[in-house]
Every structure is written in C-alpha cells, then in structure tokens.
Amino acid sequence: SVPSHLQSGAEWCSGSIDMADKDIFFVFLFLVFTKLSLGAGKECCSSVLLDSDLAVHKIQGDRLGFYTQFGYYGARPFYRQQGGDFYIFYLEDVQHWIECKNFYGAGEQFSKLVNEMDGYCLDDHNNWSFYNGSDLMYSEVLTSNCSKIEDVCCKELRISSANSEVIIDKEPYYNNQSKDSLGDYKAIGMTNGRFVYQKDNLDSFLEYGTKHWTVSSGVGQNTGHIIHQGGSVCPEHIEKEW
C-alpha cells in the first residue's frame, strides 16, 4: 500500500490542474528546466579561490580568499567566503557574476568585484574587474579557480627574521613584543577567506584583518606587533614589506 504521507503527492500528480495552478506549475517547470539545461552534465567547483596581486589586495583584499558553495542562485552555484562576510553569485539582471556583502536583495551597485561573463560555473572564464575607489577597473591578474585552502596554503609556518638579534645604537632592532611574535604557528580556523594561526598555544595570533596580515595578542584586532599592509591569500607567499 502507498504510505499515507505519499498518497497526497500521488493524487496530485494524477489530478486535474486549473488555470491558476497551471501557471504556477509551468513556472516551476521552466525554472527547473533552465537550471538543468544550463548546467546539464557539468560539475562546478565546490571550493574556489579568488586571488590577485598586491595592488588589488591593498584595495579589495578583504573580499578575496577562499569561498565554498553555499547553494544555488540564479540557476547557478553561489559561494560564501570561508569565515567571512562576502558572497559570489550570478546576477541575472546584468547577466554576470558579482561579489557582494549583502546576498539577499543585493544589486550590482553594492559590488566591488565583478566577473563580466555569463558562464554556468564561476571559473568558466576570468573577466574580473575591481572597484579602485572611483571606477571598475579590469585586471588580468584577478582570477577565480578551483582550489581548496589546504592544497594552497601552509597549515604550519614559521615567522623569522635575520634582524631579530640586531642592535642599532645600543637599541634592539626588534622590541620585546615584536621579537616574541616570531616563531612557529599552526592554523586553528578560518577568517576572511584565509587561515587563522596561533603560536604554540600562546596568546599570539596571525590573521588577515582589514586589508592586512597582523600578529597580535587576540583575534579580531586591527593593530599588532608585526604587520603586512595589503597582504595575500597565504602569508607564506609574502616576500617583502613586513
């Protein structure tokens, strides 16, 4: 026998549909068909890396980093920044991909990063532009690709300096707090699309804040003892300007 909770569904499938229900039913079929036809036989990335060079990081770095698929929107996958506040999704009104902090009710006017292409998957083609403070500017080094953070960034790293013991005019080049910030760190979580690191279970953390990497005594602080303005997706990829 058909279970009671399935009977209504079976009867509905075989029942008649009046004009009002028919309109709703056809809209539903159109949406399903659109989604299936756009992505038929195609698998998109479940995790993507949005990355660029130092120049873009200094302006829009907090919007870069690793994103994971959060669901579907506009008949395409949409993504949320890991440990962050931003989304990437396809906006049907303008027929291209945008990044935005406000997902529901978002419009292109709130976006600072735009991928002007209408592919089903975010990584189908890179045609990214970023807002430079006055206009959207195309960047060939701003890209999105299939990547997982554990395959790109180190989970364990060492912060060191050849100048850690240098004395200048009888004064140490590093003060005590900056010198204590050197050492071995391990990833303990994620924020702003990047790993957060902690030193040897001590109150010393390396994290990406508002457009910079910083080592401080607590997560979420805007200042620290060691800082890199602009930053990168992985701290070990930075060579200079600490």
Side-chain angles (χ1 to χ4, degrees):
S1 61
V2 179
S4 59
H5 69 282
L6 294 180
Q7 287 177 356
S8 61
E11 293 170 357
W12 179 84
C13 288
S14 60
S16 60
I17 304 173
D18 61 28
M19 287 304 296
D21 289 338
K22 186 182 295 183
D23 292 340
I24 297 173
F25 185 68
F26 285 155
V27 170
F28 172 76
L29 284 179
F30 173 76
L31 291 175
V32 172
F33 175 77
T34 301
K35 179 177 180 296
L36 291 176
S37 61
L38 282 172
K42 190 167 189 176
E43 289 292 332
C44 297
C45 306
S46 60
S47 176
V48 299
L49 168 59
L50 184 59
D51 199 6
S52 190
D53 60 4
L54 180 59
V56 178
H57 269 273
K58 287 183 175 181
I59 301 173
Q60 301 296 348
D62 51 340
R63 298 168 185 264
L64 305 177
F66 289 88
Y67 287 72
T68 54
Q69 187 177 343
F70 198 61
Y72 288 89
Y73 183 81
R76 291 165 173 81
F78 82 93
Y79 300 87
R80 183 176 182 177
Q81 189 183 45
Q82 291 183 257
D85 299 323
F86 297 97
Y87 299 89
I88 300 175
F89 54 94
Y90 182 80
L91 191 60
E92 291 183 306
D93 291 347
V94 293
Q95 296 187 347
H96 56 237
W97 293 79
I98 70 168
E99 157 282 325
C100 195
K101 191 170 185 178
N102 303 307
F103 174 67
Y104 295 101
E108 190 179 24
Q109 68 270 24
F110 300 108
S111 178
K112 306 298 183 184
L113 303 173
V114 175
N115 192 11
E116 296 188 56
M117 66 96 185
D118 63 354
Y120 178 72
C121 296
L122 175 63
D123 60 304
D124 279 352
H125 181 63
N126 286 309
N127 192 29
W128 286 95
S129 298
F130 70 98
Y131 184 70
N132 64 7
S134 57
D135 299 293
L136 278 174
M137 176 181 295
Y138 169 75
S139 173
E140 62 181 9
V141 295
L142 179 56
T143 61
S144 54
N145 61 73
C146 294
S147 294
K148 296 180 179 179
I149 189 168
E150 58 268 23
D151 298 328
V152 178
C153 301
C154 296
K155 289 186 177 181
E156 299 183 12
L157 52 84
R158 173 173 295 171
I159 303 176
S160 62
S161 173
N163 296 321
S164 61
E165 303 296 336
V166 170
I167 303 294
I168 300 177
D169 295 330
K170 298 182 180 181
E171 294 292 333
Y173 187 74
Y174 281 80
N175 62 32
N176 290 335
Q177 290 179 320
S178 297
K179 188 173 180 179
D180 289 344
S181 298
L182 304 176
D184 296 332
Y185 287 75
K186 294 182 180 180
I188 59 170
M190 291 191 68
T191 184
N192 296 320
R194 299 158 173 86
F195 277 141
V196 180
Y197 300 86
Q198 184 178 11
K199 177 185 176 181
D200 300 328
N201 297 317
L202 302 175
D203 290 334
S204 186
F205 301 88
L206 170 65
E207 67 168 327
Y208 190 86
T210 306
K211 303 179 183 66
H212 63 265
W213 282 99
T214 181
V215 177
S216 64
S217 58
V219 176
Q221 298 189 18
N222 292 323
T223 60
H225 312 305
I226 298 177
I227 295 175
H228 185 274
Q229 297 292 342
S232 64
V233 170
C234 306
E236 68 271 18
H237 294 168
I238 302 171
E239 296 181 356
K240 299 178 180 179
E241 298 186 17
W242 282 95

